[in-house]
Amino acid sequence: MTDVISGVKIPDSKLAREAAELVRQYENEMLFNHSVRVYVFGAMKGFRQRLKFDSELLYVAALFHDLGLVDHYHTETKRSRSRWRRRSARISPGARHCRAKG
């Protein structure tokens, strides 16, 4: 049975199922559901703008996009988000999305 959320079909290929299973092993339910919503909102925007996109690729990318936040994949050597924002602000000081100084 295929899940549909807000009119958006959740991909049910072998790759999509295996990706979801892998991500569920490491992410809590809240973060997993967030990742699925990222896919749904991205797909809805794509449909509204009549864009051609690979639903399976978008779904898998959405599932994995925050995996680096979980303990299993997070290490001390990786930059924190705030440090990355500060670095980005220095590289492109006119960027609106970067509010960090210095």
Side-chain angles (χ1 to χ4, degrees):
M1 184 173 143
T2 302
D3 289 332
V4 177
I5 300 172
S6 296
V8 176
K9 179 182 171 187
I10 303 299
D12 192 35
S13 66
K14 180 179 180 198
L15 175 67
R17 289 189 308 273
E18 288 177 354
E21 182 180 322
L22 176 71
V23 171
R24 280 185 181 275
Q25 289 177 16
Y26 297 104
E27 290 184 354
N28 62 33
E29 193 69 17
M30 183 179 76
L31 192 56
F32 178 80
N33 288 339
H34 159 74
S35 297
V36 173
R37 286 190 301 274
V38 166
Y39 164 71
V40 170
F41 291 140
M44 289 171 70
K45 182 140 178 88
F47 293 145
R48 287 184 181 149
Q49 293 183 345
R50 301 179 196 275
L51 301 175
K52 292 182 181 179
F53 62 92
D54 183 324
S55 296
E56 182 184 60
L57 178 60
L58 179 61
Y59 180 66
V60 172
L63 289 180
F64 281 94
H65 88 278
D66 273 340
L67 199 58
L69 298 176
V70 300
D71 289 339
H72 184 78
Y73 291 103
H74 181 76
T75 65
E76 290 299 318
T77 60
K78 293 182 181 173
R79 296 179 187 264
S80 70
R81 284 186 171 197
S82 60
R83 187 180 298 166
W84 181 253
R85 285 188 190 115
R86 287 193 301 272
R87 180 178 177 276
S88 297
R90 285 194 301 272
I91 292 171
S92 55
R96 291 183 187 179
H97 66 281
C98 295
R99 303 229 190 276
K101 295 180 182 177

